[in-house]
Amino acid sequence: MRFGLFGTGPWAHLAHAPALAAHSGVEFTGVWGRDPQKAVDLAGRYGVAAYSDVDALIADVDAVAIALPPDVQAPIALRAARAGRHLVLDKPIALRTEDAEELAAAAADVASVVFFTRRFTPELDDFLTEAVATGGWSEARVDHLGSIFVPDNPFGASPWRRERGGLWDVGPHALALVLPVLGPVTEVTGVAGDRDLTFLLLKHAGGAVSRLTLAVDAPPAAAREEAVLAGDAGLRTVPRGEWAPADALGRAVDQLLAAAAGGARPACDVRFGAQVTAILAAAKRAVAEGRTVRLPS
């Protein structure tokens, strides 16, 4: 399958480009970037074409992989989906619920997968499969606090992460853990702390609750990733397996290729991505307005 890559930032270098170049089922066709010289440099590294026009690259491929800020990603993904191209997207797929829903509708007839990174590791996949089969979970706690605005962190130069904070950057990862186990979210309450610290309390359709603590600007000594499920089966700590970005992206591409060939729809497809965006948007409102926000059932 011919793939075009949109984006030339750290994630494109660490995950997308090497994964596309190494995948036996992919013909890595070209790169587009907002900075033309960076597109030329990245394309040259892998011996593919650099494109200066979005639609020209979409026209030359069967699928697109996008490693761009969500507000830039969403309109490009929409154009690709309407052109019948399969989608490998980054999280969150959009910053507005309306944009995410429009994209999900446009992608109804193409294969799609959203790159919630750790969801594409065998350890986490096995854990979630077992947790769903076990059932009886009444609560979850996820602490996902990073400290990216420090020297030598490539993501610290990201304007959208600085503006949107941990809610929109690591919040999707937390939701990708709890939603498969506890089910859809019906209510969101939240408060903001220092820097970009965000505390969320989510009520799920079956009555379970989850508590999320999120940040990307935490003090380095307070940075952590911990997740625990609790219920009839006791306490289960979510594993933190070793993983490499390009390997995880390669597994996402595996799922996309299988779905495009008529196989199972990926669990983390664009419809799941739209569900995550709706929760994040509700959480933003809950924090800003100091009230519980209910999501449509």
Side-chain angles (χ1 to χ4, degrees):
M1 183 179 287
R2 296 170 299 164
F3 264 83
L5 171 59
F6 289 83
T8 60
W11 212 222
H13 282 267
L14 291 170
H16 292 69
L20 294 177
H23 201 291
S24 61
V26 168
E27 180 184 337
F28 189 8
T29 301
V31 177
W32 175 90
R34 291 176 292 172
D35 183 326
Q37 186 56 53
K38 289 182 179 180
V40 168
D41 293 344
L42 182 57
R45 182 177 302 179
Y46 291 93
V48 302
Y51 283 71
S52 60
D53 182 76
V54 167
D55 293 310
L57 181 51
I58 290 174
D60 284 350
V61 298
D62 308 300
V64 300
I66 303 183
L68 289 165
D71 58 328
V72 182
Q73 169 177 251
I76 292 175
L78 185 61
R79 287 154 74 174
R82 287 175 172 167
R85 302 318 188 239
H86 305 298
L87 307 173
V88 176
L89 304 181
D90 208 352
K91 55 77 204 165
I93 64 169
L95 295 174
R96 300 195 319 148
T97 301
E98 301 91 329
D99 295 335
E101 291 175 346
E102 184 180 19
L103 178 53
D109 295 325
V110 301
S112 63
V113 64
V114 182
F115 189 38
F116 295 90
T117 49
R118 288 182 61 206
R119 284 292 301 270
F120 297 95
T121 62
E123 295 87 352
L124 186 56
D125 185 56
D126 291 345
F127 176 87
L128 291 178
T129 298
E130 180 182 355
V132 171
T134 299
W137 304 106
S138 56
E139 60 175 302
R141 174 182 59 81
V142 181
D143 293 348
H144 197 147
L145 295 92
S147 184
I148 69 171
F149 302 116
V150 295
D152 300 324
N153 188 308
F155 300 101
S158 168
W160 83 266
R161 287 181 171 88
R162 186 172 291 278
E163 177 185 355
R164 295 282 174 164
L167 174 64
W168 287 90
D169 187 16
V170 297
H173 294 305
L175 291 171
L177 287 177
V178 300
L179 291 177
V181 180
L182 301 185
V185 171
T186 59
E187 298 180 8
V188 182
T189 303
V191 296
D194 291 338
R195 303 191 191 189
D196 73 322
L197 191 62
T198 304
F199 299 91
L200 299 181
L201 181 64
L202 311 179
K203 184 175 181 180
H204 297 260
V209 295
S210 55
R211 295 165 290 161
L212 314 182
T213 305
L214 311 168
V216 291
D217 191 23
R224 61 194 185 276
E225 288 185 43
E226 302 170 353
V228 178
L229 301 176
D232 294 337
L235 299 177
R236 299 281 177 84
T237 299
V238 179
R240 288 193 61 199
E242 295 295 325
W243 59 280
D247 291 344
L249 196 282
R251 295 187 188 98
V253 172
D254 288 341
Q255 292 188 17
L256 183 89
L257 295 176
R265 175 174 64 88
C268 295
D269 70 352
V270 70
R271 284 177 286 184
F272 181 78
Q275 181 183 358
V276 168
T277 292
I279 298 168
L280 295 173
K284 180 184 176 184
R285 287 174 53 203
V287 171
E289 299 172 10
R291 66 181 182 89
T292 296
V293 173
R294 291 174 173 78
L295 284 88
S297 56

